[in-house]
Amino acid sequence: MRIGRSLRLLAGALTVALAAGCGGARVETGQATTSTPVPTGAVVRIAVNPWAGYEASAAVLTHLLEKKLGYTVERRNLAEQVSWEGFEKGDVDVIVENWGHEDLKKTFVQDRKVAVEAGSTGNKGVIGWYIPGWMAEKYPGITDYRNLNKYADLFRTSESGGKGQLLFGDPSYVSNEESLIRNLGLNLKVVVAGSEAALIESATQAQRQRRPLLFYFWTPHWLFDRIDLVRVALPPHTEGCDADPKKVACDYAELDLDKVVSRKFAESGGRAYELVKNFSWTNEAQNAVANDITNNGMTPEAAAEKWIEANEPVWSAWMPR
């Protein structure tokens, strides 16, 4: 009996050792812990575009890939256009949040066939023009684009050359602003703030100091939970109204934000690809993580871990089976 037990213990030890030598990774989902092979040295390269919501989604995916599935994640801070080029160069496996780049999809998904769509993030995105809430109360009709010329002088700055300023963010963002101003006959000039942070600071000061401001912004975003912002109504979006960038004279469409991955990753990414494909959450969830990163002094890793610990029923549904 003692010899038989020893042999069984030895066999068990050899089994564990062999599994570890083959790149076995402990995968925790809820209370259950299983052992699933991960290719040795498996790396997932995630592009991180320059806005807080994207950072939040990338942080949660990174945490799950590394801590639950055993992959190594390389996060690459890139502008949108450069991220797509990374599919062809082999520098990028995943774009977590695509904001309606049909032109880039045509180039990299349809024509060059180096990328594929990987499903919705669950987030609904809308770009628009906004003013601080106090302006909507003080100036009748200012939220109708047809009245913007009447109030254009309110938005004049030293950088807008005698016209009203329309403050923009990062130069790499999706933009129809120049066409909208020209085609709607508006006495405005686009002034580039340079970043999401600069837009947030300007909007916060405009609300606090009752300073006029017209600016480009988007939802989902945590800022709407902090200050009162009102959207300016541009001509309603209709199917195809933005097909020709030079002729755009309509508002932005509501977008079902989606994920795009390299074709190679889709074909050989295994469980990592399955997790990315399954990832889907709400605007509220993204805002919570983004707010912790931006305003509560948390690192992306810590903010992601906090959300994951509190929302197991949500993320466990994304895990590969």
Side-chain angles (χ1 to χ4, degrees), residues 37-39 42-44 62 65-67 69-73 269-273:
V38 172
V43 175
V44 180
T62 296
L65 285 164
E66 292 187 335
K67 305 303 183 183
L69 294 186
Y71 288 83
T72 297
V73 175
R271 292 167 63 80
Y273 169 67

Side-chain angles (χ1 to χ4, degrees), residues 43-46 65 71 87 92-94 114 116 118 260-277:
V43 175
V44 180
R45 300 167 183 84
I46 297 180
L65 285 164
Y71 288 83
F87 290 142
V92 171
D93 295 316
V94 181
V114 294
V116 298
V260 184
V261 302
S262 72
R263 181 173 294 276
K264 180 179 178 181
F265 181 67
E267 293 172 350
S268 61
R271 292 167 63 80
Y273 169 67
E274 290 300 318
L275 172 59
V276 171
K277 186 177 180 181

Side-chain angles (χ1 to χ4, degrees), residues 158-195:
S158 59
E159 297 178 275
S160 63
K163 297 183 177 182
Q165 173 184 271
L166 171 60
L167 193 65
F168 191 70
D170 189 300
S172 69
Y173 290 169
V174 173
S175 176
N176 294 331
E177 276 53 55
E178 295 288 357
S179 293
L180 284 166
I181 289 172
R182 181 178 62 254
N183 296 330
L184 296 178
L186 300 176
N187 189 31
L188 300 174
K189 179 181 178 181
V190 176
V191 174
V192 178
S195 68

Side-chain angles (χ1 to χ4, degrees), residues 98 120-125 254-258:
N98 167 50
S120 173
T121 66
N123 296 128
K124 306 302 179 184
E254 178 178 299
L255 299 172
D256 182 12
L257 305 183
D258 65 338

